[in-house]
Amino acid sequence: MAYGHGKVILFGEHSVVHGRPALARAVSQGVEVRGKPSPASVTTLHIDPWKVDLDTGAAANRGHEALQRALKIARAFYPKAPFELTLRADVRLPGGAGMGSSAAIGVAVLRAMDEAYGEVRPDEDIFKRSLEWEKVFHGNPSGVDNAMATYGGMALYVRGQPLAPLAPSPPIRLLAAYSGPSPSTERMVSSVREQFEADPQGVGRLFDEIRDIVHTGKSALEAGDHATLGSCMDANHERLIKLKLSTDKLNQMVAAARAAGALGAKLTGGGGGGCMIALVKGQEEHAAVKAALAPFGPVYDV
Ligand code: PMV
């Protein structure tokens, strides 16, 4: 099946762009793409739930230029393709919400193309190709989104290094809640870069603090110490506030989740809007946190 996983970042968004580690987990939602040979002279991509239709034709698809550019990049990986494709994407993730929808679509499109053209490719190549797809959307992506979209599971990611899978026992239970649209991840990444250029020492220190939080969080996860894991999420959120990545609404949601019994909560992904995540323990806390977050927007079991 041509599938790409969505993801949430537990620790380390943004600092991962600057060479620090991030800890991420694929979510149960993702993207499935089906490809069929088409008699047309262009490959088309239909993103069903978003009512988006685009193709690799010369004319720009108004409003979806980035997706069209990415589709052309994907199609160009098959210079000897004997026919064009009709691709249909079923996206079961909120778009532009910090859950890695663009990377998941990219991975699923590339896998659907392989399937349709009868090619067998290692995941490592899907990861590399999907990074080219991601560059269209994020400019300077660290690769964490498309690594998670490709491999799934839970892992520690450092730019330029192979993904280091983690299998925590007991498993953790997370809720994600959507605060509303965010400026593009590319804009948020540029804003952090500008802050870093203006104050390399201060912002570099924040990145290092986040790196330490990632390592403490990883050890807590491996030890099954979910209380420490939760405090690490809180500590990471504080650093993301300092990097001007949070919003009043995200902060209210984080506070509401904690007040309702979450062990920890933070924004996830690019920030400036999008999603936050909360770590919940038992069934009761899960229901209470879900109810506390519901008035703010859609809540997802991830
Ligand atoms: O795509 P998003 O919004 O989940 O953000 C990806 C994570 C960042 O660290 C903000 C960017 C990157 O390339 O790692």
Side-chain angles (χ1 to χ4, degrees):
M1 185 176 50
Y3 190 76
H5 303 265
K7 66 93 197 50
V8 287
I9 296 180
L10 263 104
F11 304 113
E13 49 274 273
H14 286 284
S15 42
V16 68
V17 175
H18 299 266
R20 274 59 164 196
L23 207 157
R25 198 188 78 175
V27 294
S28 46
Q29 297 84 348
V31 175
E32 194 179 336
V33 172
R34 288 170 203 279
K36 274 196 330 214
S38 155
S41 60
V42 290
T43 280
T44 56
L45 173 62
H46 308 277
I47 304 183
D48 286 336
W50 298 351
K51 299 195 175 18
V52 168
D53 299 292
L54 47 122
D55 61 57
T56 52
N61 286 80
R62 223 158 359 114
H64 301 291
E65 289 82 1
L67 261 173
Q68 190 195 26
R69 241 181 308 135
L71 182 64
K72 285 185 184 175
I73 287 171
R75 177 63 185 79
F77 284 124
Y78 304 84
K80 297 200 183 112
F83 46 81
E84 299 295 329
L85 296 174
T86 303
L87 299 162
R88 216 160 253 295
D90 181 8
V91 182
R92 292 175 224 124
L93 279 168
M99 284 170 70
S101 58
S102 63
I105 296 173
V107 164
V109 161
L110 289 161
R111 285 186 168 145
M113 287 182 164
D114 274 353
E115 275 179 20
Y117 295 134
E119 297 200 17
V120 179
R121 195 178 311 286
D123 280 348
E124 199 188 321
D125 290 356
I126 293 287
F127 166 73
K128 283 189 194 144
R129 289 183 169 194
S130 59
L131 188 61
E132 298 310 309
W133 169 287
E134 268 298 87
K135 281 181 188 164
V136 173
F137 300 95
H138 289 182
N140 176 28
S142 67
V144 64
D145 281 17
N146 59 298
M148 298 313 298
T150 304
Y151 296 100
M154 188 163 191
L156 191 80
Y157 177 81
V158 180
R159 198 169 186 161
Q161 294 182 19
L163 205 62
L166 298 168
S169 171
I172 56 165
R173 193 190 289 213
L174 292 172
L175 286 168
Y178 182 58
S179 73
S182 55
S184 71
T185 297
E186 187 172 10
R187 276 242 320 262
M188 303 312 285
V189 168
S190 303
S191 135
V192 173
R193 195 196 56 240
E194 282 158 21
Q195 293 177 57
F196 179 61
E197 282 166 3
D199 178 12
Q201 270 200 333
V203 174
R205 202 164 38 242
L206 283 175
F207 292 159
D208 287 343
E209 286 172 13
I210 295 174
R211 173 200 60 206
D212 296 345
I213 291 167
V214 174
H215 288 305
T216 310
K218 175 174 176 281
S219 304
L221 193 67
E222 286 167 340
D225 177 358
H226 293 181
T228 303
L229 188 66
S231 356
C232 286
M233 289 169 71
D234 295 347
N236 196 162
H237 187 70
E238 290 311 308
R239 287 4 180 242
L240 295 170
I241 291 176
K242 288 188 181 154
L243 289 168
K244 305 184 178 67
L245 294 163
S246 196
T247 63
D248 288 347
K249 185 165 180 188
L250 279 167
N251 293 340
Q252 283 162 19
M253 291 167 81
V254 162
R258 288 179 195 150
L263 293 173
K266 64 183 274 293
L267 75 84
T268 187
C275 279
M276 52 75 70
I277 51 171
L279 177 68
V280 287
K281 204 172 171 204
Q283 198 58 45
E284 241 173 74
E285 291 89 347
H286 175 261
V289 174
K290 212 168 179 176
L293 289 172
F296 293 96
V299 187
Y300 307 89
D301 279 291
V302 296

